[in-house]
Amino acid sequence: MRLADLNEKIAARIGVSETVGVVIAQVVAKSPAADAGLQVGDIVTSVDAKTVTKADEVVAAVKAKKVGDKIAFTVTRKGSSVLITVTTGEMPQAPQRGAAPGNTPPG
């Protein structure tokens, strides 16, 4: 999952009025995030009932979990608040040229 801090410029581009939260810019197909129903354009407002305003906060919350743990995402989708529970999993990824192997957040 790729995330971006929501600001006025991004909010205007995606057609939303709120400017606080973290917008989902990409969801990897067949990932835990995709399987749970997170979608591009969802605005993450809290993770495990803790308000988030920066993408780094979402990433840290996910990295703190173990495989098989559940994470509760509250997102705004088309003006409505939606609670989505994601079960963490491992994401097999092909090594990128020049990239060292390491842990990446699922989805």
Side-chain angles (χ1 to χ4, degrees):
M1 181 165 62
R2 191 171 57 202
L3 306 167
D5 297 344
L6 187 60
N7 57 38
E8 289 180 13
K9 184 177 179 181
I10 292 173
R13 189 173 67 209
I14 64 174
V16 298
S17 59
E18 60 255 36
T19 57
V20 177
V22 178
V23 67
I24 297 178
Q26 179 183 29
V27 178
V28 177
K30 298 182 182 178
S31 68
D35 291 345
L38 289 173
Q39 299 176 8
V40 170
D42 284 349
I43 299 168
V44 180
T45 56
S46 72
V47 177
D48 288 337
K50 294 179 185 168
T51 300
V52 293
T53 59
K54 302 285 183 196
D56 291 345
E57 296 169 333
V58 178
V59 172
V62 171
K63 283 186 173 185
K65 300 291 185 176
K66 295 181 230 158
V67 172
D69 285 350
K70 295 190 183 309
I71 307 172
F73 287 85
T74 303
V75 301
T76 301
R77 179 181 297 161
K78 297 180 183 175
S80 297
S81 183
V82 180
L83 178 64
I84 297 175
T85 302
V86 177
T87 301
T88 61
E90 293 192 33
M91 281 292 299
Q93 294 186 355
Q96 296 178 2
R97 213 168 78 188
N103 291 338
T104 56

